[in-house]
Amino acid sequence: MRILHTSDWHLGRSFHRVSLLAAQREFLDHLVATVREREVDAVLVAGDVYDRAVPPLAAVELFDDALHRLADLGVPTVMISGNHDSPRRLGVGAGLIERAGIHLRTDPAGCGTPVVLADRHGDVAFYGLPYLEPRLVREELGARDAGHPAVLGAAMDRVRADLAARPPGTRSVVLAHAFVTGGAVSDSERDITVGGVASVPAEVFDGVDYVALGHLHGCQTLTERVRYSGSPLAYSFSEATQRKSMWLVELNAEGAIGAAERVDCPVPRPLARLRGRLDDLLADPDLARHESAWVEVTLTDPARPYEPMARLAERFPQVLTLVFDPERPPEDPLASYAQRLRGRTDREIAEDFVAHVRGGRGPDAGESVLLGDALETVRVEGEDDPR
């Protein structure tokens, strides 16, 4: 059976206030084309279909269109809710949609009830484990405590119990939305830490043939049978070096992974993270390749330059974020703040602060006059205050 594994669509999300709706539509066009051209037998979506619990109408319409197109191809689709989704909203109409071959799994109580598909080698049972919020599902699943390892372990106990009751040779696939130990994180994933423990060991999924994971946005292989597809688009600059793709996995007659291929996703615009002094970034010829990219700039000038964003935009029209990390002269790490201030006047402290934020350049003569006037005004007002 040929399976297309994807996740973390985050429909409705923007990138630093830039709408990604057109890029998400292009990705879904690509997904549908891949299903048709590569003769995919089942599509898996491992959670975070939407970016928030109440998605914008345009995102809902995009999702609806994708479901219609997949249903028209006659290719079964199994999807679960993630930690960004509202399970109840995403699951509305699941029973009716299932008649079209779209199987939504959003209810934790259904962890042990699979979608059973068949190929020429027999049945494949697909178990959907939506994102399991430990505090909400512990009692329902009979978990020993309210932690991610416990609730996922309880859900997998149900999966293994159901699988054991099926005919010998039944192959199995689990979809799960979780942080599995060993996975590499990025800045755009929402923290799911509960009680100081966010991750679960890959061994919790022992006993099944393939695990299609969602939540982490980088495509990665934890074991031959346990994989993240990653998000189809970059949702933070921390993903600038990630190759965005889907997994095309072939499950053979024995349940082994016959082949696993990464299918690249369309890139709406490359990302670049630049660091240095403003004048150097504007003059460096090697940076010409980033002039059409979405750009994050970290400026290291000792003093904040004049209108840096406007000047950067002249060369990098798609600059989206600007961070300041000025170069600092080495300081004595043993000198406490109180020690540095001891014996200094208010004016000296103020002038030192100006020099600190400017990387060593103190106030000029005119600025020193303004500082002196301000301090004197504060002193006089303090003396006149009857309190």
Side-chain angles (χ1 to χ4, degrees):
M1 181 169 287
R2 184 171 292 176
I3 299 165
L4 187 64
H5 166 200
T6 179
S7 72
D8 295 274
W9 294 358
H10 289 279
L11 300 180
R13 187 162 185 160
S14 60
F15 186 80
H16 294 276
R17 297 179 299 280
V18 175
S19 173
L20 291 177
L21 201 64
Q24 291 172 334
R25 182 177 293 108
E26 184 180 4
F27 158 68
L28 291 173
D29 290 344
H30 171 67
L31 181 144
V32 171
T34 300
V35 170
R36 181 177 59 250
E37 295 166 6
R38 303 298 297 270
E39 298 181 343
V40 170
D41 298 308
V43 176
L44 311 183
V45 186
D48 281 354
V49 175
Y50 292 120
D51 188 56
R52 54 183 184 267
V54 184
L57 179 59
V60 176
E61 291 174 341
L62 190 57
F63 177 60
D64 180 67
D65 178 67
L67 294 188
H68 276 84
R69 294 166 70 187
L70 289 169
D72 288 344
L73 290 175
V75 177
T77 299
V78 184
M79 57 177 61
I80 60 174
S81 52
N83 61 301
H84 280 249
D85 299 310
S86 165
R88 297 189 66 177
R89 286 189 173 90
L90 185 62
V92 168
L96 183 62
I97 295 173
E98 192 155 3
R99 299 180 186 179
I102 307 295
H103 306 275
L104 290 168
R105 291 294 184 263
T106 63
D107 185 358
C111 287
T113 304
V115 176
V116 181
L117 305 177
D119 62 9
R120 66 181 185 275
H121 302 298
D123 290 346
V124 181
F126 291 83
Y127 297 89
L129 278 55
Y131 171 66
L132 302 174
E133 176 60 45
R135 293 177 296 102
L136 301 179
V137 304
R138 176 189 177 183
E139 291 186 6
E140 183 173 13
L141 295 178
R144 65 182 182 275
D145 60 58
H148 286 284
V151 296
L152 267 170
M156 282 302 301
D157 287 342
R158 295 190 177 194
V159 168
R160 284 184 283 263
D162 180 86
L163 189 59
R166 294 189 175 274
T170 300
R171 291 159 291 165
S172 56
V173 174
V174 164
L175 291 79
H177 195 86
F179 178 15
V180 178
T181 305
V185 302
S186 61
D187 293 342
S188 56
E189 297 126 4
R190 183 179 295 166
D191 184 22
I192 59 172
T193 301
V194 174
V197 179
S199 65
V200 300
E203 291 77 17
V204 77
F205 298 108
D206 284 352
V208 297
D209 296 314
Y210 183 70
V211 181
L213 293 174
H215 180 57
L216 299 185
H217 289 181
C219 180
Q220 46 203 300
T221 302
L222 303 184
T223 74
E224 182 65 16
R225 297 177 182 274
V226 182
R227 300 170 185 259
Y228 281 101
S229 66
S231 60
L233 299 171
Y235 291 120
S236 71
F237 277 103
S238 66
E239 301 166 56
T241 60
Q242 291 181 359
R243 172 188 166 195
K244 296 300 183 179
S245 58
M246 304 177 285
W247 281 115
L248 186 61
V249 176
E250 292 188 5
L251 203 61
N252 68 19
E254 291 75 36
I257 306 301
E261 174 189 348
R262 290 182 68 177
V263 179
D264 290 328
C265 296
V267 179
R269 192 181 293 275
L271 306 185
R273 308 183 88 174
L274 308 183
R275 180 183 179 88
R277 296 192 177 200
L278 178 60
D279 290 342
D280 294 338
L281 296 178
L282 295 178
D284 189 346
D286 290 339
L287 301 183
R289 66 187 187 279
H290 300 308
E291 291 174 357
S292 62
W294 279 324
V295 175
E296 174 193 74
V297 174
T298 299
L299 290 181
T300 61
D301 299 71
R304 184 175 296 224
Y306 178 70
E307 293 189 343
M309 197 66 165
R311 294 171 63 188
L312 285 165
E314 292 179 2
R315 183 176 189 189
F316 308 104
Q318 306 300 326
V319 59
L320 298 181
T321 67
L322 181 58
V323 180
F324 291 95
D325 185 17
E327 299 168 354
R328 303 291 188 195
E331 297 180 355
D332 180 7
L334 299 179
S336 70
Y337 184 70
Q339 289 173 327
R340 294 199 304 272
L341 296 186
R342 187 174 295 122
R344 305 185 70 77
T345 65
D346 290 343
R347 181 164 182 159
E348 288 172 334
I349 292 171
E351 290 178 346
D352 283 352
F353 175 78
V354 173
H356 173 73
V357 298
R358 287 179 171 176
R361 182 169 63 87
D364 58 25
E367 291 168 337
S368 292
V369 171
L370 289 174
L371 275 175
D373 291 342
L375 290 169
E376 181 64 16
T377 299
V378 171
R379 185 189 65 78
V380 171
E381 289 178 350
E383 291 177 351
D384 291 341
D385 190 338
R387 292 174 298 175

